[in-house]
Amino acid sequence: MSVVELRQYTLHPGGRETLTELFEREFVTGQQSAGITVGGRFRDLDDPDRFVWLRAFPDMAHRRRALEAFYTGPVWREFRDAANATMVDSDDVLLLRGPGYTPPPAAREVLATICHPADAAGFEAYAARHLGPDHALHRTEHAENDYPLLPVRTGEEVRVWFGPAEPVPWPARRLRLEPVRP
């Protein structure tokens, strides 16, 4: 299992395509060069000003080193102002433990569920009945964020998975996502 960031950006109206193009052209390979595994990138189908994406690291120490390398490196220095100009908020980030997720090549729409289960045993029973390996189940990573220049949400216990599933009896948010294709 990897350490995974689920990043949800709120963008200025009309900024999503600018960020998506910049992201695909510069930031995917720039992050990969720093040792970051870039997963799925998505347009939120219910909010034209949202961009959702995942990135993964083998462990927290690798995360810190890779983030330091990328955010002090030439790609971020050259393109950060253009990227930041599209964003209202880039701090909606969940730090998770899981397999990461990249949508299948033919996927046109992906459902992602962010669930706040009331009890671990109850969720495990739900997961055993309704979620399989293809759902790429992720759980909150409770390690301290050792790269504080990029905030993450804390104090939450979440489960995140991809793909359709029966509704959960706990507070949850479903995202309808369109994969960005390189």
Side-chain angles (χ1 to χ4, degrees), residues 39-43 101-110 134 177-182:
R41 283 103 50 211
F42 306 96
R43 293 173 184 91
Y101 181 76
T102 301
R108 298 229 186 275
E109 182 177 322
V110 172
D134 290 344
L177 305 170
E178 174 190 29
V180 171
R181 299 292 177 211

Side-chain angles (χ1 to χ4, degrees), residues 73-127:
V75 172
W76 181 248
R77 279 196 311 268
E78 182 174 348
F79 298 104
R80 71 177 168 218
D81 291 341
N84 286 334
T86 67
M87 297 180 201
V88 173
D89 176 36
S90 61
D91 293 347
D92 187 351
V93 179
L94 291 169
L95 192 58
L96 306 167
R97 177 71 62 177
Y101 181 76
T102 301
R108 298 229 186 275
E109 182 177 322
V110 172
L111 293 177
T113 302
I114 301 170
C115 175
H116 294 80
D119 66 290
F123 181 82
E124 293 307 320
Y126 168 86

Side-chain angles (χ1 to χ4, degrees), residues 8 11 16 48 71:
Q8 301 176 71
L11 306 173
R16 184 166 69 186
Y71 288 106

Side-chain angles (χ1 to χ4, degrees), residues 5-11 44 49-54 89-94 114 153 160 173 175 177:
E5 294 178 358
L6 173 62
R7 307 187 65 83
Q8 301 176 71
Y9 293 171
T10 301
L11 306 173
D44 186 324
D49 300 322
R50 304 261 304 159
F51 179 72
V52 178
W53 65 290
L54 295 102
D89 176 36
S90 61
D91 293 347
D92 187 351
V93 179
L94 291 169
I114 301 170
R153 288 167 38 187
V160 176
R173 181 169 159 233
L175 304 174
L177 305 170

